[in-house]
Amino acid sequence: MFKNLNPFRIILAVLILFIPLYPKFPLISVNGTYVAIRLDDIVVALCFLSWFIYQIKNRFSFFKHKITPLFIAYFIAILISTLNAILVYQTSKPSILLLNAFRRFEYISLFFITIEGIKNIKDYLYVYIFSLLAIVGIAVYGYGQKFLQFPVISTMNEEFSKGQLLQMNVWTRISSTFAGHYDLASYLSLILIIVASIAIITKKTWLKIPSFILFLIGFHLLTLTASRVSIFSFWGAIIICFILLRRYLWIIPISILVIFSIVNSKDLNQRLLATIPALKIQLEKNKPTTAPTPTTVPIPTPVIAIITKPGKYVSPTPTVFRHPPVEEVTPADADAGVARSGEIRFNVEWPRAITAFKKSPLTGTGLGSITLATDNDYLRSLGESGLFGFLTFLVIFVYLFIRTIPLIIKRPTDLKSQLALIFFSVMICIWANAVFIDIFEASKVAYTIWIIMALYYQSLELKK
């Protein structure tokens, strides 16, 4: 009965459910940073150990994959960058640099684990069903935060990352089981493209109806995060997806849904209305007169509090934030929040990454050397890993894009090709999110990205 059972299907199911649903409670603190070792690190390590034993028994069959040399090139780039940062530039403590490099290997390991769990086209249905279950869990907890005072477990600052149970107020945006609303929004923007597309192309009623329902629920959660970047990334990518799938008429209802949600979300539309004036101010400030000098930007006290006793809440001491809670404000302060968000990105985080790149253009200053936030993954990659790391990382996605070009041109109607086009659209959404969010460093999202990229790769490799 179990002779032909693929154990990596079980491992993949565990990862798909556990990664998004288990809150980021710390297990072991790391000196010098508030990034902690968590249970998900242990789970992924055990999964990787199983994969490694399997590879030993099969004489490291993963070397046969066409994409493996590209990952090896990137790993070499990261290793060189880390050694250079430790031995030459000494930009941070060796333990911090090694931890961040290890984390990147850890995230990418899920790519190769997922490949072993997908051996035929039927395995995609198995993965999809567990992804729907994950959305159910995220929705239950997310709505519980919004309406039933479920606690928030955040890593938005050093104090919160110790595992503090926090309480939302009326203006705080939900994060569900994620470390922050940006992470939840990024995750949903990727997964909802897949769910919406499957709901449209499948002919199975038992799959179509639940997919539509969970898509609407998930999209409502996305609007509750009020993340402008993720919502517009989703909107653009889903339109591209429907065009590639030749489902042109679906562009109209999905666009109406997005516009309607924006108009009816006070939190979101006020931030959007404040974005253009704030951007104009930043452009005027950043005219090429003198080189921008990073400045310290005051960060407001967050509107969430540590739970001490039932019904009693104490505001925590504000500290430096990974993603500063500039948008954790009332609608009346939306203009100030958006302006402050631009100040942090344009005058602090981005110049800091550019400075790191100028210091070491080829190898960068090491992963994790320019603090925990840049809010632009392209600049972050250039600053931390240099041109060598940036280009070897980018070429992985370029390879998948090149492999997809024939499908984009021909647009075949078989399921395997349609899946590849859907995953290509998700990759576009990833690229768009990365302009303003460190999407490859947010652990829950990063794990998910590499699972999806493995599904994408296998959809190009498997026989029809």
Side-chain angles (χ1 to χ4, degrees):
M1 178 178 177
F2 299 100
K3 184 178 180 180
N4 297 322
L5 178 65
N6 181 355
F8 288 98
R9 288 180 62 183
I10 300 174
I11 290 174
L12 189 53
V14 171
L15 291 171
I16 290 171
L17 287 176
F18 180 83
I19 287 171
L21 295 182
Y22 185 80
K24 298 185 72 172
F25 288 110
L27 288 180
I28 304 172
S29 298
V30 179
N31 292 331
T33 179
Y34 60 81
V35 174
I37 306 299
R38 298 184 173 85
L39 186 57
D40 57 283
D41 297 305
I42 306 300
V43 171
V44 171
L46 292 174
C47 293
F48 178 80
L49 179 61
S50 301
W51 176 86
F52 187 72
I53 293 172
Y54 173 82
Q55 290 298 318
I56 293 175
K57 291 181 178 180
N58 288 270
R59 300 179 180 180
F60 295 96
S61 58
F62 80 102
F63 282 113
K64 297 178 181 179
H65 299 306
K66 299 174 184 177
I67 201 171
T68 299
L70 303 181
F71 280 101
I72 293 175
Y74 177 64
F75 291 158
I76 292 173
I78 293 304
L79 179 61
I80 292 173
S81 175
T82 303
L83 292 176
N84 191 49
I86 293 174
L87 301 176
V88 180
Y89 290 103
Q90 299 180 349
T91 51
S92 187
K93 293 181 180 179
S95 59
I96 303 301
L97 294 167
L98 289 171
L99 173 64
N100 281 277
F102 175 79
R103 275 283 171 93
R104 187 58 59 90
F105 296 137
E106 179 186 9
Y107 299 153
I108 293 178
S109 70
L110 267 62
F111 180 92
F112 294 98
I113 293 172
T114 301
I115 285 178
E116 298 302 335
I118 304 296
K119 294 301 183 181
N120 57 66
I121 200 69
K122 294 181 180 179
D123 288 335
Y124 282 90
L125 178 61
Y126 179 85
V127 170
Y128 182 68
I129 289 174
F130 279 95
S131 298
L132 293 181
L133 292 176
I135 294 176
V136 172
I138 291 169
V140 169
Y141 200 87
Y143 286 125
Q145 284 180 342
K146 186 70 175 177
F147 303 109
L148 300 176
Q149 296 187 336
F150 284 11
V152 178
I153 296 89
S154 174
T155 60
M156 297 283 276
N157 70 27
E158 185 174 3
E159 190 65 28
F160 295 170
S161 66
K162 295 177 182 178
Q164 299 282 8
L165 296 180
L166 310 172
Q167 181 64 58
M168 293 176 60
N169 81 351
V170 67
W171 297 116
T172 308
R173 289 173 285 170
I174 67 169
S175 58
S176 187
T177 52
F178 288 70
H181 59 273
Y182 287 111
D183 296 355
L184 173 61
S186 300
Y187 175 89
L188 289 174
S189 68
L190 308 181
I191 296 298
L192 291 180
I193 293 173
I194 299 173
V195 175
S197 302
I198 296 299
I200 290 172
I201 67 174
T202 185
K203 296 180 180 179
K204 303 178 186 297
T205 304
W206 65 268
L207 190 61
K208 183 183 288 288
I209 294 176
S211 295
F212 269 121
I213 293 172
L214 288 176
F215 167 75
L216 293 174
I217 293 172
F219 185 77
H220 183 238
L221 290 174
L222 179 58
T223 59
L224 290 178
T225 67
S227 172
R228 295 156 293 167
V229 175
S230 294
I231 288 175
F232 280 95
S233 297
F234 163 80
W235 191 9
I238 196 70
I239 288 175
I240 292 173
C241 185
F242 288 163
I243 291 173
L244 296 178
L245 295 175
R246 298 183 182 181
R247 300 298 200 277
Y248 307 110
L249 292 178
W250 281 99
I251 296 174
I252 298 174
I254 199 70
S255 296
I256 292 174
L257 176 64
V258 172
I259 295 171
F260 177 81
S261 299
I262 291 173
V263 171
N264 284 274
S265 171
K266 293 181 180 179
D267 199 18
L268 182 57
N269 63 47
Q270 291 205 23
R271 283 175 170 79
L272 288 172
L273 291 174
T275 298
I276 297 177
L279 183 60
K280 182 179 179 181
I281 293 172
Q282 288 303 320
L283 292 174
E284 290 176 353
K285 287 183 179 181
N286 292 326
K287 286 182 179 179
T289 52
T290 57
T293 302
T295 57
T296 302
V297 179
I299 296 173
T301 303
V303 291
I304 47 183
I306 300 174
I307 298 176
T308 54
K309 295 180 180 180
K312 296 183 179 181
Y313 305 103
V314 180
S315 297
T317 303
T319 58
V320 178
F321 280 67
R322 176 185 177 188
H323 290 297
V326 295
E327 301 185 86
E328 299 292 359
V329 291
T330 62
D333 297 324
D335 290 347
V338 171
R340 198 155 46 239
S341 178
E343 288 279 351
I344 292 170
R345 283 187 173 95
F346 300 139
N347 295 338
V348 179
E349 295 173 339
W350 292 8
R352 183 172 53 205
I354 294 170
T355 300
F357 173 67
K358 290 179 178 179
K359 183 176 182 179
S360 180
L362 292 180
T363 62
T365 56
L367 297 187
S369 61
I370 54 177
T371 75
L372 289 177
T374 300
D375 290 326
N376 182 309
D377 242 325
Y378 302 105
L379 291 177
R380 185 186 186 113
S381 180
L382 283 170
E384 292 187 339
S385 59
L387 283 172
F388 191 15
F390 175 76
L391 293 177
T392 52
F393 186 71
L394 184 63
V395 77
I396 295 171
F397 297 93
V398 172
Y399 169 80
L400 294 171
F401 170 67
I402 293 173
R403 291 282 307 275
T404 313
I405 290 176
L407 300 179
I408 295 174
I409 296 173
K410 296 180 181 179
R411 284 187 283 182
T413 57
D414 62 281
L415 178 59
K416 173 182 167 302
S417 300
Q418 288 180 323
L419 289 174
L421 294 174
I422 292 170
F423 294 131
F424 167 75
S425 302
V426 175
M427 187 172 71
I428 296 296
C429 189
I430 293 170
W431 289 348
N433 270 290
V435 175
F436 287 102
I437 299 175
D438 296 334
I439 194 169
F440 292 105
E441 281 71 35
S443 60
K444 287 177 178 286
V445 186
Y447 287 134
T448 304
I449 286 173
W450 292 113
I451 290 175
I452 292 174
M453 290 301 99
L455 297 174
Y456 183 10
Y457 175 74
Q458 285 297 78
S459 70
L460 297 169
E461 288 291 310
L462 296 176
K463 295 181 180 179
K464 292 183 181 180

